[in-house]
Amino acid sequence: MSELPGLPDDFFAREDETPDEDFYQDPRFTTHIDDATIVALTNYYREVLKPSDRVLDLMSSWISHLPNEIRYRHVAGLGMNEQELARNPRLDRYGVRNLNVTPVLPFEDDAFDAVLMAVSVQYLTRPFEVFREIARVLAPRGKCIVSMSHRLFPTKAIYAFHVLPPADRCRLVGTYMHRSGRMTDIEVHDRSPANADPLWIVSGTRSPA
Ligand SMILES: C[S@@+](CC[C@H](N)C(=O)[O-])C[C@H]1O[C@@H](n2cnc3c(N)ncnc32)[C@H](O)[C@@H]1O
């Protein structure tokens, strides 16, 4: 997959630059994509994740979309709203962290076999730093799985996600992975169900040590 060449700085700006803590202060016990799209994402996770995996759900909420019947070795979550995270039945541990202020993951190197980011990547204003951190906390051959759809909180999504068509949004996320310097096999999977919100998944693999 080719990466986007020069990226203008204002790609990463947002209409609402007030603190994200304010925007995410109240919990939202809602879903952000249609039920059929959630099923498609869960099916993808079922195909690519193994029960022995240590999983990190980044930009997490009360729902992680993991298959109910599979227990993973460990699931950690990071998000913005503590009440949502406390209610997420899949998380063995969680933390609150604003990645736009502190784009550092509070985990050791090689700590996870999979890092997930569901329908949230458009809110990152410092994505290159975050994806370098994702590569750091992934074990060699670990998977980074970023899913995207077309809904967004418009004032909080970066400009790039307003102006780029879907294929270029996927390439942009592929560029985040590529520029971490430690991810290979970057692929786009269109798993959009019929008559429901689309689902594009960009996956990358942490290069062998
Ligand atoms: C559309 S919701 C998606 C939540 C969940 N991943 C899902 O699939 O339902 C966007 C999520 O992005 C997270 N988020 C937004 N801005 C963030 C930031 N600055 N730092 C960390 N997480 C952020 C919030 O926790 C919020 O739950």
Side-chain angles (χ1 to χ4, degrees):
M1 182 189 172
S2 66
E3 64 170 306
L4 286 177
L7 301 171
D9 284 346
D10 68 0
F11 253 30
F12 304 99
R14 307 170 291 181
E15 183 185 326
D16 177 2
E17 293 287 5
T18 60
D20 290 346
E21 283 79 2
D22 296 347
F23 190 82
Y24 292 101
Q25 186 174 20
D26 296 324
R28 294 179 176 85
F29 294 110
T30 179
T31 50
H32 301 280
I33 42 178
D34 290 333
D35 289 349
T37 312
I38 291 177
V39 169
L41 179 57
T42 301
N43 284 340
Y44 183 84
Y45 288 156
R46 188 178 284 113
E47 284 169 32
V48 303
L49 300 178
K50 299 188 291 298
S52 58
D53 283 345
R54 298 159 298 167
V55 177
L56 172 61
D57 184 19
L58 277 184
M59 309 187 83
S60 183
S61 66
W62 65 279
I63 185 170
S64 287
H65 316 299
L66 291 165
N68 282 331
E69 76 284 7
I70 303 177
R71 294 283 117 201
Y72 297 96
R73 176 149 45 126
H74 187 82
V75 183
L78 275 189
M80 285 296 287
N81 184 281
E82 175 145 24
Q83 286 168 268
E84 291 177 10
L85 296 165
R87 202 162 325 157
N88 186 325
R90 299 312 305 261
L91 302 181
D92 299 305
R93 64 176 160 153
Y94 63 81
V96 172
R97 175 153 302 206
N98 183 340
L99 294 173
N100 292 335
V101 172
T102 311
V104 175
L105 301 180
F107 306 106
E108 314 242 303
D109 295 359
D110 303 353
F112 296 99
D113 304 295
V115 175
L116 319 176
M117 188 184 288
V119 295
S120 302
V121 68
Q122 63 272 17
Y123 305 119
L124 289 177
T125 59
R126 298 166 69 176
F128 294 102
E129 291 161 90
V130 172
F131 276 76
R132 269 200 300 277
E133 279 288 283
I134 292 173
R136 180 186 65 74
V137 302
L138 270 176
R141 298 192 175 78
K143 301 260 180 246
C144 176
I145 301 170
V146 177
S147 53
M148 292 180 278
S149 192
H150 58 180
R151 295 199 218 169
L152 40 78
F153 300 128
T155 58
K156 280 292 181 187
I158 60 169
Y159 181 60
F161 279 79
H162 289 280
V163 296
L164 294 176
D168 281 348
R169 300 202 292 266
C170 292
R171 288 174 71 205
L172 179 63
V173 173
T175 299
Y176 297 164
M177 292 184 185
H178 181 78
R179 293 201 189 166
S180 76
R182 297 166 90 184
M183 285 196 214
T184 60
D185 301 324
I186 298 165
E187 295 172 355
V188 178
H189 310 270
D190 187 342
R191 293 295 186 106
S192 306
N195 306 316
D197 289 326
L199 181 68
W200 301 288
I201 295 171
V202 184
S203 67
T205 302
R206 167 66 210 282
S207 46

